[in-house]
Amino acid sequence: MCEDRRVQLPALPDLPAVSYVMPVLNEEGFLERAVRTILAQDYAGAKEIVLALGPSTDRSDAIAEALAEADPRVRLVGNPERDIPAGLNRAIEVSRHPIIVRVDAHSELTPDYTRLGVEILGREHAANVGGVMRAAGDGDVQRAIARGYNSPYGLGGGAYHGDSDAGEAESAYLGIFRREAIEAVGGYDREILRGEDWELNLRIRRAGGRVWFSPALGVTYWPRASFADLARQFFATGTWRAVLVRKYGRANPWRFFAPGTLVLGLAASALGLVLLVAGVLPWASGWPVLLVPMAAYLAGIGVAVARIPAQHSVRDRMLTAATLATMHLSWGAGFLRGIVFGGGRVFGRGRVVDRSRV
């Protein structure tokens, strides 16, 4: 890493060329649409997209090769390690342009994303610019999971999970970077397998770079489509957030600690309930206070569900409640695991391919 270097940003030329970088692993249901959406951006400057191909077990490589053969702006690079940070670094290394746009196969940019983002980079003299992540779904479960992502009760805290005012931010979803900023801090940390964007943006800010959020920029995100996949993803996310806490301490926002605290509180409530029902602890005492975390959490879930618009069915509300609980508890359990044992090889990359989007 080159964390001792300062971010120096020369003035941008008119319509600087743009390199999009995308790690790819088992994305056959999303890859072609994502690439075509990127190349269709209403940006007049030169564009290329570099796909970092991990060892997929589906048709992702064949789709990528066909895209590259059909359009010379699509370039391929291998990512045998399969990890996202390694793939992003490999794609950045072979890319050629001064603006780096980090994209994902399961995200779709609005048509004006690049044009507006480059304008904001220059106007705000920013090192990185990001916008709002708006989750979407096709089936009942995926739509409920998307509601969880979009709800302040699900992933509240980061500006990019809601329509906050434009301004400086701690991180950015995906991101439109100045190449100089990425190179100044040495790129993505290959040892941080999740939360790599937040960690990179932290180092950029520490090196004097400005990270900017703008609600004018929008990205549609297609989340996991099953609760099992969601639980694996959030367990891994919580685990690696704990690694960031172990590495950077007080630089982490307080919200990183909330899910782990919740899991500990609910565990205390569950144990207290068992002991009270079994008669080991008397009800006519102060011990029922152990039930407060569970009661407060259930009340919070109830408030979140009650705020869902009236047109949603009882099933939608139940699925949303299940989504929120899965997010919170999986994240919290992963966080506690990571605090004790570190990251290890926890990935949580399961994704069910939606054939309707191929």
Side-chain angles (χ1 to χ4, degrees):
M1 293 297 169
C2 304
E3 295 182 53
D4 57 331
R5 292 177 56 187
R6 301 294 291 175
V7 172
Q8 302 292 331
L9 301 178
L12 278 174
D14 293 336
L15 295 177
V18 173
S19 295
Y20 302 86
V21 294
M22 178 192 294
V24 177
L25 181 70
N26 295 329
E27 297 285 8
E28 68 175 359
F30 297 80
L31 180 57
E32 182 172 358
R33 181 183 178 117
V35 169
R36 297 196 185 285
T37 300
I38 292 162
L39 294 178
Q41 290 282 290
D42 67 357
Y43 182 67
K47 297 186 284 285
E48 68 171 357
I49 178 167
V50 182
L51 306 179
L53 303 180
S56 295
T57 56
D58 63 5
R59 295 178 53 250
S60 293
D61 286 4
I63 293 170
E65 290 164 3
L67 290 167
E69 184 175 348
D71 193 323
R73 294 175 296 175
V74 181
R75 303 172 61 209
L76 310 179
V77 63
N79 179 31
E81 297 94 341
R82 71 179 268 146
D83 300 332
I84 290 173
L88 289 169
N89 284 342
R90 288 177 180 273
I92 291 167
E93 286 169 7
V94 303
S95 67
R96 297 173 290 202
H97 299 323
I99 304 297
I100 305 294
V101 182
R102 189 254 207 258
V103 288
D104 280 339
H106 46 92
S107 296
E108 297 173 13
L109 312 179
T110 56
D112 58 3
Y113 181 85
T114 305
R115 174 172 54 81
L116 293 179
V118 172
E119 290 174 3
I120 295 167
L121 271 179
R123 183 176 69 243
E124 302 298 339
H125 199 61
N128 184 22
V129 171
V132 180
M133 181 189 78
R134 296 187 177 95
D138 283 331
D140 287 348
V141 172
Q142 193 179 36
R143 280 194 290 268
I145 292 172
R147 282 194 294 274
Y149 269 87
N150 295 330
S151 169
Y153 296 93
L155 292 177
Y160 48 88
H161 293 306
D163 294 316
S164 303
D165 294 333
E168 293 195 44
E170 70 181 52
S171 187
Y173 176 59
L174 300 182
I176 302 172
F177 294 85
R178 296 289 301 270
R179 178 182 290 275
E180 295 91 343
I182 295 177
E183 291 178 346
V185 299
Y188 286 88
D189 187 339
R190 294 175 58 172
E191 300 301 316
I192 303 296
L193 302 186
R194 301 289 298 227
E196 69 282 348
D197 294 313
W198 183 90
E199 195 274 344
L200 174 63
N201 281 288
L202 173 64
R203 286 186 284 117
I204 288 175
R205 288 188 288 111
R206 286 182 167 182
R210 197 179 198 196
V211 178
W212 192 264
F213 167 78
S214 174
L217 302 177
V219 181
T220 298
Y221 171 74
W222 296 90
R224 279 18 178 203
S226 74
F227 289 122
D229 284 343
L230 182 69
R232 283 191 288 269
Q233 178 192 16
F234 271 69
F235 184 86
T237 299
T239 298
W240 285 96
R241 290 301 186 188
V243 172
L244 293 173
V245 167
R246 287 167 56 133
K247 183 171 183 177
Y248 290 110
R250 294 182 180 179
N252 294 271
W254 67 268
R255 67 179 184 275
F256 282 13
F257 299 86
T261 303
L262 170 66
V263 169
L264 292 175
L266 293 180
S269 287
L271 177 60
L273 182 60
V274 169
L275 296 177
L276 286 164
V277 170
V280 176
L281 298 176
W283 286 94
S285 67
W287 288 110
V289 73
L290 291 172
L291 304 182
V292 169
M294 183 179 295
Y297 182 64
L298 292 175
I301 293 292
V303 170
V305 170
R307 296 189 62 179
I308 296 174
Q311 68 265 26
H312 289 281
S313 66
V314 172
R315 172 178 166 78
D316 288 341
R317 296 173 187 275
M318 293 178 64
L319 289 173
T320 302
T323 294
L324 294 174
T326 301
M327 286 178 164
H328 299 156
L329 301 183
S330 299
W331 204 111
F335 183 84
L336 296 176
R337 188 265 187 212
I339 285 291
V340 176
F341 299 109
R345 301 299 295 175
V346 176
F347 297 110
R349 293 195 185 157
R351 177 173 289 278
V352 175
V353 174
D354 182 350
R355 298 285 179 180
S356 70
R357 296 181 56 78
V358 175

